[in-house]
Amino acid sequence: MKPFSFERPNTPAEAAAAAARVDGAKFVAGGTNLLDLMKLQIETPTHLIDVNRLGLDKIEASSDGGLRIGALVRNSDLAADQRVRRDYAVLSRALLAGANGQLRNQSTTAGNLLQRTRCPYFYDTNQPCNKRLPGSGCSALHGFSRQLGIVGTSDACIATHPSDMAVAMRLLDATVQTVNGAGAERRIAIADFHRLPGDTPQIETTLQRGELITAVTLPKPVGGKHIYRKVRDRASFAFALISVAAIVQRDGTGRVALGGVAHKPWRVEAAEAAMPRGAKAVAEQLLAEAMPTEQNAYKRPLVERTLGAVLAEAKG
Amino acid sequence: MKFDTPATTNPIDQLKVIGKPLDRIDGRFKTTGTARYSYERHDVVPNPAYGHVLGAAIAKGRIKSFDLAAAKSAPGVLAIVTADNAGALDKGKNNTAKLLGGPEIEHYHQAIAVVVAESFEQARAAAQLIRVDYQDDGGSFDLRAGMADAKPAKVLGGPADSAVGDFATAFAAAPVQLEQMYSTPDESHAMMEPHATTAVWDGDRLTLWTSNQMIAWGVGEVAKTLKMPKENVRLVSEYIGGGFGSKLFVRTDAILAALGARAAGRPVKLTLQRALVFNNTTHRPATVQRIRIGADKDGKITAIGHESWSGDLPGGKPDGAVSQTRQLYAGANRMTATRLAVLDLPEGNAMRAPGEASGMMALEIAVDEIAEKLAMDPIEFRILNDTQVVPDNAKEASKESQTVGSASKSELPFSQRQLVQCFQTGRDRFGWAKRNPKPGEVRDGRWLVGLGVAAAFRNNQLTKSAARVRLEQDGRIVVETDMTDIGTGSYTIIAQTAAEMMGVPIDKVVVLLGDSAFPVSAGSGGQWGGNNSTAGVYAACIKLREMIAQKLGVNSAEAAFTDGEVRTGARGVALADAARDGALSAEDGIEYGDLDKKYQQSTFGAHFVEVGVDAATAEIRVRRMLAVCAAGRILNPKTARSQVIGAMTMGVGAALMEELVVDKRRGFFVNHDLAGYEVPVHGDIPHQEVVFLDETDPMSSPMKAKGIAELGICGVAAAVANAVYNATGVRVRDYPVTLDKLIDKLPAVG
């Protein structure tokens, strides 16, 4: 860990201004991912801005019938919220499928969106990794890739986004609200929030320098059956090999998003149009552009079969 | 005390304390945070500096140059030790690679420097400032590629090759044949407490509080490595947060803490960072195994052959995966072969049931497969092929021949062998009769359900062990031995032994372990700790009883030690009276004759597993487990059960998830943390039942006990794999059995 300076501002705008001002500054909230990465010198911020006391920890009804989730709402609290459990059950289920109780107590809504990948080469500073050290190469592409991405990948990076929560947020068409160093607010559709790796896998979101997430909002509930199915080798405390988030209406229409297959939560409009035709058709659309490695080719049939189970459960 | 004739009735047989399911006496300390682990010896070392290890970034090659300037001038840094300034170092005889590498690098994350600083964070930050220029020489990292050039290698306790009868002819003639290849991956011990040491020099005398299973070995290895007299080395290991073989030998933490403390002129404490444990320390080596079994139409084995390939660094050792096949099943014509390839991966070495654990993973699938070919129940097949004598006694033959052993003419009987009874007991208890022998037929909601079974087998090893037992003036009994408790329950069973022998309640016994100032014990490893260390305490207690009897003027042969008294006839004297003029102390140990040469001493069991396989995703979840064990006298059913369920859990890990993934280009284990190297969590482990068959083994020791801790893992993984086959009809022969190996072969999702 490199030495760093630390401050604890009082308002979101002050926090954003500080981040814009100081090169190498980072926000810290729960710290469940950032501190680990700092100890390994994968993250080397020069300045930490503690956002825990900015009052962004409330869940409130929004004027359009949706829900406004403060950036600092802890994962445990979000998963347990009555409104979330009733109207956005897929979000609650996704949250509870992730990490463990202790980590969920500490992790925040915004922090969860900003998790770094769990690619093992990203975690080993002796190995080339374009995400950690741009231009050094991707060790995973021809290395250990069983866990990694199959769609939307590039020659520069096949990492996945590890979050379960983000998959549900994508399914629910959430919006990320921010404030920047100049005090300007912005709303980013979750679809546009995470980036594909392309040639710059080190840039993972569309946040600008100094931009602070203040809230994540959900539009009004869409009803239907909410399912989150996470597939993993061990029963708990493991990242998804793949996951399927779905909202299915009685007529068989609905939405579907995947986790564990791409650099971002993966959702394809054409796939949703195919939902009444069944899992095979949906999977074909979702993974039309898939370029799996030999080690993670199993994810293609796994997605289709899991979709099949999810759609059957929805009919249930 | 020499133990060279079978045990007869002795005070242990009273079973007033021994054999009772007592809580572990150290449990309270562990649950209240007062058990003192090696990194936490603030009580004896109040102001240590901190060491941080830098591991090599390449697998094989040389350090061309170090740039230490930035690290040396970093805040708080007291010293940096590398091979350049460490002074002359030797290598422990149990270490294959050097514990401080450089300029030559032998494996990835081999330690090449230790930074000592005022705080842990400063040491870590400074270590990250060291720049190293390497010459990367590449290397051999692929076991399968190395198989062709693999050389015969002797297995612990036997020759590289063994042969009985004419395997080739008998196999070729067998009407029913099974020939298959199996593989097991590299596995990590992944114990909770990483290797850790606190080192203090006093002049030329060194004390190491270190997490180590084998204190006396450790003293010798530290002295050899540091080129100092053994008398000047003291090792203390009061509590150990898991070892599983990873701490049998002295590792980097101990040597670099000592070197760092010497260089800094300060006590130093050092723990391996988790990410270093997997490549810096030892692991269970991967194997490729070929098994051939020929049987007649009635199911009798006529030919059995087991070959195993593993790899290790130059000068290293093979995995002994074939060893149980020499002893487990009958069959007139047999062969085993062990081959070792040179690999430049980190050092392979002992991990819980080394050899048997990986060998049984393959053998017990093979047995399931041939039973199916014979259309026999796999339990019936095993019962039919039971033997009461060792069918391939290659250990003896190896004296005459270094390579090919042939079984001795004289038959070597087992001292006890209740394998058949284990299966019969488990079959009834587990409801085996309900198993559908046709795979893929049983469904419970979304789950495909299957049952699997496998034998458990692990040898019992006798090794001398000593202790000192003292009667204090207040009537307490104090036991001192360098035996370790690696979570196994040593403290408790040793206290039970002393309490039984001296006729006092267990709370009057104080047990002090893990200090090289104490008499040398068997130590913890190879499931030999329990029987041998308590037998050593038994011997010391016999001696103390004689001293007490003499002091009280009674005939020791007639004296009964019971209820805190020494009784002869109607007369009773308080035990403490014998110490009224001062404590009485006796030191003795157990030494063995040749009962283990006249009788093969082994432990047996049967594992039963029910799994569910998700019909859509192929996720595998264990639903029920049962182990039936026959392992001599069970000294404490509660701690013994803990050992077995822990081993069953480890077996589930081996079956379903544990694999150190080799990067064959760069030569290292990629998943080197506990997020990437998955071991079972609570959600993976259902109710586990353990049954111990009534057994005493008079050949093993006066305790009539045998090992149990490693028996529990042997066969578990195969029982899981066999259950997965029964559930799905998909046979996976390459561990771990994961969903990607099943997914394409399951029926369509309907």
Side-chain angles (χ1 to χ4, degrees):
Chain A
M1 188 181 286
K2 288 194 168 168
F4 56 88
S5 51
F6 181 84
E7 72 171 296
R8 186 177 278 157
N10 294 314
T11 67
E14 278 176 38
R21 190 170 59 240
V22 185
D23 276 334
K26 281 244 169 201
F27 302 115
V28 63
T32 57
N33 193 201
L34 179 62
L35 294 186
D36 281 354
L37 293 169
M38 287 171 66
K39 290 171 189 172
L40 296 166
Q41 267 191 32
I42 294 161
E43 294 270 17
T44 54
T46 57
H47 185 64
L48 279 190
I49 301 161
D50 178 358
V51 297
N52 282 298
R53 298 192 183 175
L54 299 184
L56 303 173
D57 55 355
K58 291 171 194 64
I59 306 173
E60 300 159 314
S62 60
S63 55
D64 61 355
L67 215 51
R68 185 179 190 276
I69 303 158
L72 291 173
V73 172
R74 306 286 154 172
N75 287 174
S76 294
D77 295 333
L78 184 56
D81 185 90
Q82 288 298 318
R83 292 159 293 186
V84 173
R85 292 177 62 189
R86 185 186 62 224
D87 297 331
Y88 308 97
V90 67
L91 176 58
S92 185
R93 287 175 184 142
L95 282 160
L96 294 175
N100 58 25
Q102 293 91 330
L103 284 169
R104 291 194 296 268
N105 288 343
Q106 181 74 6
S107 314
T108 64
T109 305
N112 192 318
L113 289 178
L114 295 173
Q115 281 184 80
R116 310 296 307 274
T117 185
R118 297 286 170 164
C119 174
Y121 296 99
F122 175 71
Y123 269 79
D124 188 334
T125 50
N126 292 326
Q127 307 305 328
C129 170
N130 288 322
K131 189 181 278 298
R132 179 168 31 75
L133 189 64
S136 60
C138 175
S139 300
L141 192 57
H142 301 291
F144 176 42
S145 60
R146 180 175 180 268
Q147 295 265 353
L148 301 178
I150 59 171
V151 67
T153 55
S154 70
D155 283 349
C157 184
I158 59 170
T160 50
H161 193 272
S163 169
D164 294 297
M165 184 199 80
V167 183
M169 291 291 195
R170 176 72 184 89
L171 188 77
L172 293 165
D173 282 329
T175 301
V176 180
Q177 295 191 3
T178 69
V179 60
N180 72 9
E185 296 184 2
R186 184 159 83 110
R187 298 169 66 88
I188 309 166
I190 188 83
D192 303 325
F193 182 78
H194 291 108
R195 298 176 75 258
L196 289 179
D199 295 330
T200 54
Q202 74 277 16
I203 306 170
E204 293 168 352
T205 69
T206 50
L207 289 173
Q208 302 294 310
R209 175 173 171 146
E211 201 170 4
L212 173 73
I213 299 175
T214 52
V216 177
T217 59
L218 298 177
K220 67 179 184 192
V222 294
K225 194 139 187 175
H226 288 223
I227 297 172
Y228 189 76
R229 184 76 166 86
K230 180 174 182 177
V231 181
R232 45 190 159 175
D233 292 318
R234 70 178 171 191
S236 175
F237 204 47
F239 295 97
L241 296 170
I242 64 131
S243 66
V244 174
I247 297 175
V248 186
Q249 307 298 341
R250 280 175 182 223
D251 61 3
T253 63
R255 308 175 180 188
V256 61
L258 301 179
V261 297
H263 203 250
K264 58 190 284 187
W266 195 250
R267 195 172 160 199
V268 174
E269 270 181 37
E272 291 176 5
M275 278 175 74
R277 301 209 309 276
K280 189 172 167 55
V282 178
E284 271 171 14
Q285 292 295 333
L286 279 168
L287 302 180
E289 313 280 314
M291 302 240 297
T293 66
E294 195 178 326
Q295 286 185 14
N296 64 26
Y298 73 92
K299 289 194 178 191
R300 196 193 279 271
L302 183 58
V303 163
E304 184 185 323
R305 297 179 66 95
T306 308
L307 272 168
V310 164
L311 295 181
E313 183 186 338
K315 264 190 223 160
Chain B
M1 175 186 288
K2 185 91 181 229
F3 180 76
D4 51 8
T5 54
T8 53
T9 301
N10 67 43
I12 294 295
D13 295 321
Q14 299 174 96
L15 300 181
K16 288 179 181 168
V17 196
I18 286 290
K20 296 282 186 282
L22 302 180
D23 289 347
R24 62 179 66 212
I25 59 180
D26 50 322
R28 185 160 46 93
F29 307 129
K30 290 181 173 173
T31 51
T32 55
T34 49
R36 295 174 298 199
Y37 290 85
S38 300
Y39 198 68
E40 301 164 340
R41 296 307 304 258
H42 322 297
D43 56 325
V44 282
V45 186
N47 185 31
Y50 292 77
H52 193 82
V53 176
L54 180 67
I58 62 166
K60 189 169 190 258
R62 293 178 67 80
I63 295 171
K64 288 197 283 188
S65 66
F66 265 121
D67 180 356
L68 301 174
K72 276 183 180 162
S73 59
V77 171
L78 300 169
I80 299 175
V81 179
T82 69
D84 293 335
N85 66 349
L89 297 176
D90 199 347
K91 195 176 74 174
K93 63 183 195 309
N94 284 312
N95 296 130
T96 304
K98 288 181 183 174
L99 297 178
L100 177 61
E104 271 149 63
I105 303 297
E106 295 164 280
H107 64 85
Y108 192 71
H109 276 174
Q110 183 176 29
I112 55 171
V114 59
V115 178
V116 180
E118 292 286 351
S119 76
F120 172 80
E121 289 76 12
Q122 288 172 329
R124 182 178 59 194
Q128 288 166 331
L129 292 172
I130 295 175
R131 293 291 164 261
V132 189
D133 188 13
Y134 295 100
Q135 171 191 311
D136 189 337
D137 292 343
S140 304
F141 309 124
D142 186 347
L143 173 59
R144 284 180 192 273
M147 281 169 64
D149 294 327
K151 301 283 187 296
K154 290 178 77 166
V155 191
L156 205 62
D161 296 73
S162 71
V164 177
D166 180 352
F167 170 79
T169 304
F171 181 70
V176 180
Q177 296 173 344
L178 180 278
E179 174 172 1
Q180 281 296 349
M181 301 294 293
Y182 304 85
S183 70
T184 63
D186 296 287
E187 291 174 7
S188 178
H189 309 82
M191 64 285 141
M192 205 183 305
E193 181 204 25
H195 301 70
T197 298
T198 300
V200 176
W201 289 91
D202 177 9
D204 57 1
R205 302 178 70 84
L206 173 65
T207 303
L208 298 174
W209 287 269
T210 186
S211 191
N212 191 289
Q213 300 172 221
M214 300 292 298
I215 298 302
W217 289 5
V219 167
E221 294 285 78
V222 169
K224 183 169 188 290
T225 307
L226 297 177
K227 294 174 168 285
M228 61 189 286
K230 271 208 289 200
E231 298 69 42
N232 288 358
V233 178
R234 182 178 165 214
L235 249 62
V236 184
S237 202
E238 273 188 28
Y239 291 98
I240 297 165
F244 309 120
S246 184
K247 297 167 180 169
L248 280 173
F249 312 123
V250 167
R251 298 297 317 167
T252 308
D253 57 305
I255 297 305
L256 292 194
L259 292 172
R262 188 156 68 189
R266 278 266 296 271
V268 164
K269 68 176 192 174
L270 184 160
T271 182
L272 284 187
Q273 54 269 40
R274 182 68 69 184
L276 222 55
V277 169
F278 298 81
N279 285 280
N280 176 276
T281 72
T282 60
H283 66 278
R284 188 199 299 284
T287 65
V288 175
Q289 302 177 45
R290 177 164 76 147
I291 296 179
R292 288 173 289 171
I293 303 174
D296 65 23
K297 289 215 163 71
D298 297 331
K300 283 254 189 200
I301 295 173
T302 55
I304 182 164
H306 193 164
E307 297 147 85
S308 175
W309 291 260
S310 60
D312 202 359
L313 289 165
K317 292 187 282 281
D319 185 84
V322 305
S323 48
Q324 74 289 323
T325 306
R326 293 171 177 166
Q327 301 182 329
L328 190 50
Y329 296 115
N333 303 287
R334 334 175 53 95
M335 63 83 66
T336 70
T338 300
R339 296 290 178 268
L340 178 63
V342 172
L343 294 181
D344 300 300
L345 291 170
E347 175 177 340
N349 217 315
M351 177 168 150
R352 202 173 199 167
E356 280 94 339
S358 31
M360 294 291 276
M361 286 168 82
L363 177 65
E364 289 296 289
I365 295 182
V367 166
D368 205 62
E369 294 197 72
I370 190 153
E372 189 183 36
K373 282 183 179 238
L374 287 155
M376 278 180 80
D377 178 272
I379 293 177
E380 285 305 324
F381 177 83
R382 289 177 172 96
I383 290 173
L384 182 68
N385 287 289
D386 188 44
T387 172
Q388 292 295 317
V389 297
V390 175
D392 174 358
N393 185 21
K395 188 160 40 177
E396 199 167 303
S398 69
K399 287 175 191 158
E400 292 123 43
S401 161
Q402 287 299 302
T403 52
V404 179
S406 58
S408 78
K409 296 284 184 283
S410 62
E411 286 192 327
L412 179 68
F414 289 94
S415 60
Q416 300 273 351
R417 181 173 163 123
Q418 296 199 74
L419 179 63
V420 169
Q421 290 82 350
C422 288
F423 278 112
Q424 288 168 337
T425 302
R427 177 166 62 187
D428 298 340
R429 208 168 177 110
F430 201 67
W432 183 255
K434 291 192 201 131
R435 170 181 177 265
N436 187 336
K438 194 172 169 208
E441 295 284 311
V442 180
R443 185 86 184 238
D444 176 11
R446 64 188 248 211
W447 301 100
L448 304 165
V449 179
L451 302 188
V453 71
F457 173 86
R458 173 79 170 133
N459 282 331
N460 183 60
Q461 303 181 66
L462 300 183
T463 175
K464 65 180 182 179
S465 190
R468 189 157 53 228
V469 184
R470 195 163 63 241
L471 172 64
E472 300 281 6
Q473 284 183 294
D474 61 6
R476 287 184 310 156
I477 301 292
V478 178
V479 185
E480 295 172 333
T481 167
D482 82 353
M483 178 62 189
T484 49
D485 189 326
I486 61 176
T488 39
S490 307
Y491 276 108
T492 310
I493 57 172
I494 284 172
Q496 286 176 272
T497 303
E500 191 80 78
M501 292 300 292
M502 304 313 297
V504 299
I506 193 165
D507 61 6
K508 290 275 186 261
V509 181
V510 176
V511 180
L512 302 173
L513 299 182
D515 189 328
S516 61
F518 300 151
V520 174
S521 74
S524 298
Q527 75 169 14
W528 63 59
N531 177 50
N532 292 295
S533 71
T534 53
V537 172
Y538 170 94
C541 286
I542 290 286
K543 195 167 181 179
L544 182 61
R545 285 161 62 114
E546 281 161 12
M547 289 172 73
I548 290 167
Q550 197 173 13
K551 184 79 185 174
L552 296 175
V554 300
N555 183 343
S556 69
E558 291 165 14
F561 288 69
T562 183
D563 299 327
E565 290 189 341
V566 183
R567 289 190 191 146
T568 43
R571 178 170 168 259
V573 182
L575 187 66
D577 281 3
R580 61 184 176 268
D581 301 329
L584 294 180
S585 179
E587 182 174 334
D588 199 2
I590 196 84
E591 289 180 49
Y592 296 95
D594 62 356
L595 285 173
D596 59 341
K597 310 284 187 302
K598 290 180 182 161
Y599 297 90
Q600 175 59 44
Q601 299 183 13
S602 303
T603 59
F604 297 89
H607 286 291
F608 292 79
V609 173
E610 179 180 310
V611 302
V613 179
D614 188 293
T617 65
E619 286 166 292
I620 303 160
R621 302 288 180 255
V622 175
R623 293 156 63 104
R624 280 196 300 144
M625 301 182 82
L626 164 68
V628 183
C629 304
R633 171 174 281 153
I634 300 304
L635 302 176
N636 179 330
K638 193 167 189 176
T639 55
R641 177 179 181 275
S642 284
Q643 283 302 292
V644 176
I645 64 174
M648 290 159 80
T649 302
M650 216 168 190
V652 170
L656 298 180
M657 60 193 84
E658 292 188 43
E659 176 177 17
L660 285 168
V661 177
V662 180
D663 187 310
K664 291 172 189 164
R665 306 158 305 172
R666 305 259 303 150
F668 74 111
F669 300 130
V670 184
N671 49 340
H672 51 69
D673 59 32
L674 289 176
Y677 186 85
E678 290 186 6
V679 297
V681 294
H682 286 284
D684 293 298
I685 302 302
H687 181 67
Q688 297 169 315
E689 193 183 359
V690 180
V691 175
F692 295 112
L693 295 189
D694 217 8
E695 181 175 301
T696 50
D697 194 332
M699 305 301 172
S700 71
S701 82
M703 305 302 295
K704 304 172 188 172
K706 290 186 286 199
I708 185 74
E710 299 189 342
L711 177 67
I713 191 174
C714 296
V716 177
V720 174
N722 292 339
V724 170
Y725 174 74
N726 184 242
T728 62
V730 183
R731 185 67 82 177
V732 178
R733 301 181 183 88
D734 300 299
Y735 289 98
V737 183
T738 46
L739 60 86
D740 46 311
K741 297 169 186 171
L742 301 172
I743 193 82
D744 280 333
K745 302 180 181 105
L746 294 185
V749 180

